[in-house]
Amino acid sequence: MEEAMTRRRARGGGGAARRAERSAVVIETAKYIERNIPNFEVLNEEALEIIEANAETVLAEIGVNFVNNPAALERWRAAGAEVEDERVRIPRGLARKLCSTAPSQFTQHARNPEKSVVIGGRNLVLAPVYGPPFVRDAQGGRRYATMADFEKFVKLAYMSKWLHHSGGTVCEPTDIPVNKRHLDMLMAHMTLSDKPFMGSVTAPERAQDSVEMCEILFGKEFVRDNTVMTSLVNINSPMTFDDIMMGALEVYAASNQACIISPFIVGGAMAPVSVAGTLTQVLAEVLAGVAYSQLIRPGAPVIFGAFVSSIDMNSGAPTFGTPEASLVTYGAGQLARRLGLPFRSAGSFCGSKLPDAQAAYETANSLNMGLLSGVNFMLHACGWLEGGLVADFEKFVMDADQLGALHGLAKGVPVDAEHQAMGAIREVGPGGHYLGCAHTQANFKSAFWKSELLDYKPFETWEEEGARDTYALASGRVDKLLGAYQQPALDPEIAGALAAYVAEKKASMPDAFM
């Protein structure tokens, strides 16, 4: 843990000083999770080998499309693939061989070095929701997102103890022109928070803008030699790589910046209805995408992504927190580890329209599945609502609070002398209680994870305080966090250079809303 801000201390001593310390603004950020529990694995060796062989068959015999990208087709042809029109067929073993140069883990540096994260291995990095065009809160209901909403989410992510990452497009600010909003979003991440963040992928030139803004923030040489962005590159499943996303990947890979190569899977629509069939397609798509990144720059950092949901066969709507999606995620984690790549999946997924019981059930299933499946980078870890169409402020803080439970579970079960507690068992003996024993007194502050949101008070106290449900408590917490927010310090010269870059870029082009 670290204290990101200096505590304000009262001048008086004794009780006044202690009261002042308790009321001071303290922003803590937990270190990324380091798992001390095993991964849950659902596929045996035979099943894994069958899926891997079938994925190679897909690449070699069916192929993948790289559309509107002649340069990509030439790269594949030069690497030994068969290219016909925009279809690329990759000989067995070639994609896997190319993927072997990608690192098994890497560090994404934050402007506050204490908040840098290591992605891969036994680690889990938690990042907020990404991409919704709508927002919802208790005051304004459901509405199109604005830049003011975006900035509030960045502040909440910065203030949230259990989030390690500021994320990317936490909502889509529709009041800013499409061709310019990435500049404002990056500026918000860089100035309103000191956690790591994501770059723009909506056009290759916006990816280049992201790199150039990072060069201002971190220094050109530092960006050249280090990874300071992780960005989401979706595959148009089934098996299509478009020129926009691949163009962004080309910029980032060439600049040594990380990309999440992620199929977008809705089972039954963009992939087969069966778990094994979906895993085959996911692996084939990831192999092709990661291999292409290594054609751009061997050693470029990448993450094996898998966004997975099932489908309601009556309405066609995506469904979340289902057994089938969990099985795909568990299996994809196994395939990613066999490939030696960091793994991205899971999140606070739900299909509910409100932060209600449906949202809670589906989100809990999805978050726990992500922890147990070995996910290394969890995008959408908090704030997701309505199948990803809405970023909800109250659900953001509900989910962010529950991420603390993941940290606690990931610690596992220590069995050193202190945790064996034999002294406490001897001290209390038969018929006693542990509330006052020495072991409890020494450990009660840190023994159990404690929610900063949920209500555990007796009924009478709860009723006297307004009988507030979790939604009301969350709304109050949003206000409390935003009210306590203090912007992290940034060198004024760097802040000025970023502002000048954004102003110059915006002035260089007319507004475009398409």
Side-chain angles (χ1 to χ4, degrees):
M1 308 283 181
E2 74 268 8
E3 193 169 297
M5 295 183 180
T6 304
R7 297 185 178 205
R8 299 192 300 265
R9 300 188 182 274
R11 293 186 178 182
R18 287 191 294 273
R19 284 192 298 273
E21 184 173 354
R22 285 195 296 270
S23 64
V25 176
V26 180
I27 308 303
E28 287 185 318
T29 298
K31 185 182 179 183
Y32 53 85
I33 292 173
E34 297 172 285
R35 288 182 183 83
N36 287 312
I37 57 175
N39 297 317
F40 186 68
E41 300 190 338
V42 297
L43 301 175
N44 61 24
E45 183 65 24
E46 180 185 11
L48 288 165
E49 290 178 356
I50 288 171
I51 290 167
E52 288 172 339
N54 287 345
E56 293 283 1
T57 297
V58 170
L59 293 177
E61 298 181 12
I62 301 170
V64 295
N65 284 352
F66 278 76
V67 298
N68 301 319
N69 196 339
L73 301 177
E74 286 305 313
R75 289 187 182 99
W76 277 116
R77 186 178 285 110
E82 175 190 333
V83 178
E84 180 183 0
D85 296 325
E86 294 184 319
R87 182 70 56 90
V88 177
R89 293 181 175 85
I90 305 170
R92 294 178 188 276
L94 175 59
R96 189 170 289 270
K97 180 181 178 182
L98 291 169
C99 290
S100 67
T101 59
S104 59
Q105 70 176 37
F106 62 91
T107 298
Q108 184 186 348
H109 295 270
R111 71 172 175 94
N112 178 350
E114 293 181 343
K115 297 182 182 179
S116 297
V117 294
V118 180
I119 299 173
R122 305 280 309 163
N123 305 327
L124 170 56
V125 174
L126 300 169
V129 64
Y130 183 108
F134 300 101
V135 298
R136 176 186 284 277
D137 61 20
Q139 291 74 40
R142 186 183 191 270
R143 61 188 186 278
Y144 278 106
T146 66
M147 193 63 212
D149 294 317
F150 185 95
E151 291 173 347
K152 286 181 182 178
F153 278 120
V154 172
K155 292 175 181 178
L156 287 174
Y158 170 70
M159 297 287 284
S160 298
K161 177 179 180 179
W162 305 113
L163 272 174
H164 317 117
H165 205 280
S166 192
T169 308
V170 285
C171 62
E172 190 77 35
T174 57
D175 57 336
I176 308 291
V178 170
N179 60 331
K180 298 179 180 180
R181 65 181 60 153
H182 67 288
L183 300 164
D184 293 304
M185 290 190 283
L186 283 163
M187 189 72 170
H189 283 302
M190 291 177 174
T191 60
L192 301 180
S193 175
D194 60 2
K195 293 182 179 181
F197 55 86
M198 302 175 74
S200 175
V201 294
T202 52
E205 59 271 20
R206 295 169 199 164
Q208 186 60 44
D209 289 344
S210 305
V211 173
E212 290 173 5
M213 288 181 72
C214 282
E215 290 174 344
I216 296 171
L217 183 64
F218 292 94
K220 201 164 190 174
E221 290 185 2
F222 190 88
V223 172
R224 182 193 64 200
D225 299 332
N226 298 277
T227 298
V228 299
M229 278 184 292
T230 298
S231 300
L232 178 62
V233 173
N234 278 128
I235 297 164
N236 287 346
S237 302
M239 298 171 290
T240 300
F241 297 77
D242 69 70
D243 56 321
I244 303 249
M245 285 287 171
M246 288 303 99
L249 181 147
E250 290 160 10
V251 170
Y252 286 127
S255 301
N256 197 37
Q257 302 307 306
C259 286
I260 305 165
I261 313 295
S262 194
F264 189 93
I265 298 295
V266 178
M270 284 93 116
V273 294
S274 66
V275 171
T278 295
L279 284 170
T280 296
Q281 183 181 309
V282 166
L283 180 57
E285 291 177 349
V286 170
L287 281 168
V290 172
Y292 184 64
S293 77
Q294 301 306 293
L295 287 178
I296 301 297
R297 176 172 174 160
V302 288
I303 299 173
F304 181 128
F307 175 90
V308 182
S309 74
S310 46
I311 194 171
D312 180 79
M313 287 298 183
N314 291 321
S315 67
T319 53
F320 300 92
T322 61
E324 297 75 23
S326 293
L327 291 170
V328 171
T329 304
Y330 289 131
Q334 291 181 257
L335 294 167
R337 289 189 289 277
R338 285 165 70 91
L339 200 54
L341 293 173
F343 177 42
R344 171 259 165 155
S345 196
S348 61
F349 297 147
C350 67
S352 181
K353 315 304 179 290
L354 296 169
D356 56 9
Q358 178 186 344
Y361 284 130
E362 293 174 350
T363 293
N365 287 343
S366 298
L367 289 176
N368 282 291
M369 168 264 291
L371 176 68
L372 296 177
S373 65
V375 167
N376 300 117
F377 188 89
M378 188 188 291
L379 196 56
H380 312 300
C382 60
W384 171 289
L385 197 66
E386 202 180 317
L389 288 174
V390 172
D392 185 279
F393 284 94
E394 280 76 21
K395 189 168 185 289
F396 191 101
V397 299
M398 292 180 195
D399 295 339
D401 181 70
Q402 286 298 299
L403 297 180
L406 299 189
H407 283 73
L409 182 58
K411 291 177 181 177
V413 183
V415 290
D416 55 69
E418 180 70 11
H419 285 87
Q420 290 175 43
M422 290 300 295
I425 297 172
R426 286 193 178 94
E427 179 186 342
V428 173
H433 68 76
Y434 289 86
L435 291 175
C437 79
H439 185 267
T440 300
Q441 293 300 307
N443 292 284
F444 75 94
K445 288 185 178 180
S446 59
F448 306 119
W449 169 74
K450 185 178 184 300
S451 169
E452 295 182 345
L453 175 67
L454 303 182
D455 188 295
Y456 300 114
K457 297 169 185 170
F459 174 83
E460 292 77 11
T461 306
W462 170 77
E463 188 174 45
E464 288 172 4
E465 293 180 351
R468 294 176 296 171
D469 62 13
T470 304
Y471 187 76
L473 292 171
S475 185
R477 183 155 177 79
V478 170
D479 292 341
K480 179 181 178 180
L481 289 172
L482 292 176
Y485 170 81
Q486 295 178 12
Q487 187 169 349
L490 178 62
D491 184 327
E493 187 175 337
I494 292 175
L498 285 169
Y501 179 92
V502 170
E504 182 180 351
K505 276 287 179 179
K506 284 187 171 184
S508 70
M509 51 188 163
D511 292 351
F513 282 91
M514 294 293 291

